[in-house]
Amino acid sequence: MKMMTLLTLALAQPAASPPEPLEQKQQQALACVAVLAIVASEQERGVPAALDYPLLAERGATYAGLVGQQIMADSDRSREQVRDAMIAAVAERQTTAQAAADPDEALGSEMATCLPLLDAAVPPQPKPDLTQCAGMLQLAYEEVHDREGLSKTAQDLKTLASVLDSRARDQMRAEGLSGQESDILLTRSREAMLAEARERESAGQGSNLDFEHCFTLAAPEDKQRKYEH
């Protein structure tokens, strides 16, 4: 009898009222979270159209977190409610894309709106130049090699480091520098980057450069992407 009484009382409680509809600005932010997440997923799968855009996995995730926090603060929604809204937004964008006559054109229109919002909320990191990238990839190779030996990852990094080193030397040669001068500049660049990396690591900080851009600089000319990363 006591259990029945408790159930009756529970059922008599008024149902929680649904949250107020989101404002247009919040809806747009959610839509962009969905679009960026979809493009990031397609980039990971190597979809050519998605690779026309800046790499979005890291910055897109940061943007999603910022949008979620802002919506929770402004609308009193719970974390679970915001998560569900993001999932629903992804599903809606996928349905819209499937129904579009030209999915790539539709995506381009949405990205034209969302990329500026992303850049404003999560500014892209500075892009390293060829010399810096040659040093970064060489240091990355040495770190992985020390940890794993000549693993597949280490071999890939070594190849990329060699490509970037060669292109950096070609650029310096075109600028009138000798081979010895190029050696000095590349060595100094690596030493400076290693010192900075150790300093930032000791402060609990990651790199302040767009490491992904180095992979673009190492890519064959015919695979250069529409947007530099």
Side-chain angles (χ1 to χ4, degrees):
M1 180 64 71
K2 185 175 181 180
M3 178 63 71
M4 290 300 297
T5 302
L6 291 174
L7 287 173
T8 301
L9 289 172
L11 292 172
Q13 297 298 319
S17 58
E20 292 291 326
L22 293 175
E23 298 176 359
Q24 183 176 357
K25 182 179 179 180
Q26 295 168 328
Q27 292 177 3
Q28 179 63 69
L30 271 182
C32 284
V33 167
V35 170
L36 296 173
I38 291 170
V39 174
S41 176
E42 292 180 344
Q43 287 177 338
E44 291 180 356
R45 293 188 287 110
V47 177
L51 294 175
D52 282 344
Y53 300 102
L55 296 178
L56 297 172
E58 184 174 344
R59 292 174 63 218
T62 301
Y63 178 73
L66 293 174
V67 168
Q69 291 173 3
Q70 191 64 53
I71 290 178
M72 284 190 289
D74 293 344
S75 68
D76 291 329
R77 279 171 166 77
S78 67
R79 186 178 302 276
E80 290 72 22
Q81 288 174 317
V82 173
R83 178 202 61 202
D84 291 345
M86 289 182 176
I87 293 173
V90 170
E92 180 181 352
R93 304 254 74 74
Q94 290 174 327
T95 300
T96 301
Q98 291 172 356
D102 188 339
D104 290 345
E105 183 178 349
L107 175 63
S109 177
E110 290 182 311
M111 288 296 283
T113 297
C114 294
L115 279 178
L117 294 179
L118 173 66
D119 289 343
V122 189
Q125 295 174 308
K127 292 179 173 60
D129 59 25
L130 263 175
T131 302
Q132 290 174 310
C133 280
M136 291 170 73
L137 266 296
Q138 179 63 30
L139 292 173
Y141 158 70
E142 292 173 359
E143 179 180 343
V144 173
H145 183 270
D146 289 344
R147 185 175 64 247
E148 304 175 3
L150 200 58
S151 63
K152 177 65 166 58
T153 300
Q155 293 179 53
D156 290 343
L157 288 171
K158 183 176 178 61
T159 298
L160 291 172
S162 297
V163 170
L164 290 168
D165 183 88
S166 176
R167 291 183 179 178
R169 291 177 184 279
D170 288 344
Q171 185 180 74
M172 293 179 194
R173 189 180 304 112
E175 294 171 353
L177 298 179
S178 67
Q180 184 177 7
E181 289 171 325
S182 298
D183 288 340
I184 293 172
L185 285 177
L186 286 167
T187 299
R188 286 178 177 174
S189 176
R190 281 196 297 271
E191 291 174 348
M193 298 197 72
L194 180 58
E196 182 181 359
R198 287 172 174 168
E199 181 179 347
R200 295 184 68 85
E201 183 179 3
S202 65
Q205 301 173 339
S207 174
N208 63 337
L209 294 175
D210 181 4
F211 184 74
E212 297 287 351
H213 180 62
C214 295
F215 296 103
T216 300
L217 293 181
E221 291 296 328
D222 61 348
K223 292 187 178 179
Q224 290 292 323
R225 294 164 183 161
K226 179 179 177 182
Y227 293 88
E228 288 193 341
H229 302 164

